[in-house]
Amino acid sequence: MTSERTRTDLILSARGLNLSRDGVALLKSVSVDIRRGSVTLLLGYNGAGKTLLLSCLHGLIEQDSGQISAPPRDRQKMVFQKPIIMRRTARRHLQFVCPGLPDDQLADWMKRAGIDDRIDAPARALSGGEQQKLALVGALAARPDILFLDEPTAHLDFAATKFIEEMIHEAHDQGTTIVMTSHNRAQAERLGQDVLLLDAGTLVESGPANRFFSAPRHPLSKQYLEHL
Amino acid sequence: MDILTPFQIALTLLATGDAELMSTITLSLLVSLTAVVTSLLIGLPLGAVLAAYRFPGRTPLIVISNTFLGMPPVVIGLLIYLLISRAGPFGFLGILYTPAAMMLAQTVLVLPISIALSRQAFESLNGEYALLFQSLGLGRLARIRALVFEARAALLTIALVCFGRAISEVGAVMIVGGNIRHSTRVMTTSIALATSMGELAYAMALGIVLLLVALAVNIASQLLRNSFRNLGHDV
């Protein structure tokens, strides 16, 4: 989407990513550029390869071929669709995922997430929404350069979704680059500045979100937007 | 034999603080707890490494360890006996018929249990946390430390299983300990001796005491588990 942009604008650049498992091509020569400070929405049907691409970009899965240029691992964070929560208190979970976080900042993050009264409760006893908030503040508290979010509001109610979106906005305002997947068109339009559309492991279209939603270029994009 | 007689004898022995019984209980606990702690110190890191990493020789290690799970205690006792008897390669240690030999035999007996169960617990947790650990960029040591902490409830259960196996064992400790009064006589060998001498009520009484000791250890572990929970550790 950014062939016209200079490389210095980019925080992450991937070229020709290929990934196969058991003879099935899951990512097919995918190339993406992520602008520094942008919110990029990764869209596509279930099984299109969104989570796989996110995992490759974050370095959780090694691609068979292709190259990725990204910030160092300690400057990246990822929040999973199903939050991975440790068997310890919410406070100790945050201390684990964000080592060195001062106590006052930790308490402040919990307060902003509205779960400060559960700070010493077992983290796994929190509700699904509270666990997702905990996972998100655990990632944001580290002030990463780039944050990967895999359907961060899937299965969440309106209030929790609103909170997560506010936190994404705030992180973005403070300069964090966001790359996230979503199946929610309204959310994609609210948050997205750039869009990448994947279909069966192939990057179908990429570009500015407003242009993508108003005038998609690829037939598959038009078809996808009709269903979204 | 009156069904109540063993209970009466057991209560009398405990109430009067029978010196021989107390020394037997003390030695039983000392030998078994030492074996459990030693096997956990060796078995837990091995289980964690086998669970978290793939390396050449891993599968043969698992197979050998699992084979020892089914090894009869008397065979383990015999092997240890051959190793530490005067003519054996470790005869110079002079530990045959001492509590040290019994600790060694029980350690060998429960070590495969601590390896197998901890590997299973760590494998399950590692599967659950692998992506998070990778995302956080944790090194090997940090991963193993986190896994051990996360598995603390399972480890308590593993320790109990190992203790149950050790305290109830008779064949191996009989062979390498010799069941010497005031020296290497533990509860199970006392029961075996009493039974062979026809003192069935006394043997049964010792069995009841053994059960009470196991009950006390389990209550203690449950209290420990509850204290974890009260601290919000979600075990």
Side-chain angles (χ1 to χ4, degrees):
Chain A
M1 69 182 151
T2 55
S3 55
E4 69 276 17
R5 294 189 178 112
T6 61
R7 303 287 297 176
T8 51
D9 285 331
L10 305 178
I11 190 168
L12 185 149
S13 179
R15 287 286 165 272
L17 299 184
N18 286 293
L19 182 71
S20 299
R21 288 287 182 270
D22 302 321
V24 179
L26 303 174
L27 291 178
K28 302 166 194 166
S29 196
V30 175
S31 295
V32 297
D33 287 329
I34 305 294
R35 290 187 300 123
R36 189 178 298 279
S38 65
V39 178
T40 301
L41 261 295
L42 191 48
L43 304 177
Y45 294 108
N46 286 333
K50 301 185 298 295
T51 299
L52 210 55
L53 179 57
L54 219 53
S55 301
C56 273
L57 296 179
H58 183 42
L60 297 182
I61 297 174
E62 195 173 348
Q63 65 277 9
D64 297 335
S65 62
Q67 286 166 351
I68 299 173
S69 164
R73 170 61 61 76
D74 62 346
R75 300 305 309 147
Q76 303 181 23
K77 287 287 174 186
M78 181 161 177
V79 175
F80 302 91
Q81 184 179 350
K82 186 177 182 304
I84 302 174
I85 302 295
M86 308 292 283
R87 289 166 170 78
R88 48 188 80 187
T89 62
R91 181 197 301 275
R92 294 195 69 172
H93 173 84
L94 271 188
Q95 286 169 339
F96 180 78
V97 297
C98 197
L101 184 68
D103 285 348
D104 56 333
Q105 286 186 32
L106 188 148
D108 185 48
W109 279 107
M110 291 294 285
K111 194 170 183 179
R112 289 165 70 184
I115 48 176
D116 47 325
D117 56 330
R118 310 295 308 277
I119 194 166
D120 288 316
R124 292 164 72 93
L126 302 182
S127 72
E130 288 171 334
Q131 287 190 13
Q132 191 61 291
K133 287 179 179 179
L134 185 66
L136 183 64
V137 297
L140 290 176
R143 304 273 181 212
D145 291 341
I146 186 164
L147 175 63
F148 298 97
L149 302 167
D150 190 8
E151 293 191 47
T153 59
H155 317 303
L156 296 188
D157 64 18
F158 170 75
T161 299
K162 187 166 176 282
F163 168 81
I164 300 278
E165 288 189 10
E166 282 171 3
M167 296 303 282
I168 291 171
H169 269 304
E170 191 181 312
H172 171 246
D173 289 344
Q174 290 174 355
T176 299
T177 304
I178 313 280
V179 183
M180 64 181 282
T181 64
S182 177
H183 280 295
N184 182 325
R185 177 170 183 161
Q187 181 178 64
E189 291 196 58
R190 274 196 303 273
L191 295 174
Q193 295 175 327
D194 293 328
V195 166
L196 302 168
L197 178 68
L198 274 179
D199 185 75
T202 302
L203 185 65
V204 172
E205 184 168 342
S206 60
N210 51 8
R211 205 256 306 132
F212 176 81
F213 287 113
S214 58
R217 290 173 180 168
H218 197 283
L220 282 173
S221 304
K222 292 173 186 166
Q223 188 186 41
Y224 176 75
L225 285 175
E226 282 170 15
H227 292 119
L228 190 63
Chain B
M1 179 179 68
D2 180 2
I3 190 86
L4 291 176
T5 305
F7 292 96
Q8 287 167 349
I9 294 174
L11 284 175
T12 307
L13 287 171
L14 284 172
T16 56
D18 182 79
E20 186 160 349
L21 177 70
M22 291 305 152
S23 82
T24 305
I25 292 174
T26 306
L27 184 63
S28 288
L29 286 175
L30 181 69
V31 168
S32 295
L33 288 174
T34 305
V36 169
V37 170
T38 310
S39 71
L40 290 177
L41 285 175
I42 302 168
L44 296 188
L46 259 176
V49 169
L50 288 172
Y53 299 105
R54 302 286 178 270
F55 52 89
R58 176 181 175 271
T59 304
L61 257 179
I62 292 173
V63 170
I64 291 168
S65 166
N66 287 346
T67 303
F68 272 86
L69 279 172
M71 185 78 100
V74 284
V75 177
I76 289 176
L78 184 60
L79 282 173
I80 303 289
Y81 178 88
L82 292 172
L83 288 172
I84 63 174
S85 64
R86 190 159 295 196
F90 298 102
F92 65 92
L93 293 174
I95 59 169
L96 187 62
Y97 302 133
T98 68
M102 297 155 76
M103 290 169 190
L104 178 64
Q106 287 198 354
T107 300
V108 173
L109 187 72
V110 297
L111 182 60
I113 299 174
S114 80
I115 293 174
L117 294 185
S118 60
R119 180 175 67 85
Q120 196 174 32
F122 289 135
E123 247 172 15
S124 161
L125 286 170
N126 193 46
E128 198 178 325
Y129 293 124
L131 284 178
L132 180 65
F133 290 168
Q134 206 179 337
S135 178
L136 294 173
L138 295 190
R140 288 185 177 200
L141 204 59
R143 278 181 188 224
I144 288 176
R145 208 165 43 216
L147 282 178
V148 169
F149 186 73
E150 292 301 296
R152 61 202 177 281
L155 299 186
L156 200 57
T157 306
I158 294 168
L160 280 179
V161 171
C162 289
F163 178 76
R165 181 85 165 109
I167 196 87
S168 61
E169 198 284 320
V170 58
V173 289
M174 185 81 94
I175 292 174
V176 300
N179 198 16
I180 303 166
R181 194 179 182 191
H182 301 308
S183 172
T184 59
R185 185 165 294 171
V186 289
M187 302 203 65
T188 50
T189 55
S190 291
I191 292 170
L193 182 67
T195 304
S196 67
M197 291 170 69
E199 295 173 2
L200 300 183
Y202 184 75
M204 185 62 84
L206 282 170
I208 292 167
V209 172
L210 186 60
L211 268 177
L212 288 174
V213 169
L215 180 68
V217 171
N218 273 280
I219 289 172
S221 79
Q222 190 58 47
L223 291 173
L224 190 62
R225 197 179 282 252
N226 288 346
S227 71
F228 278 160
R229 200 168 278 132
N230 291 338
L231 287 169
H233 285 205
D234 183 29
V235 292

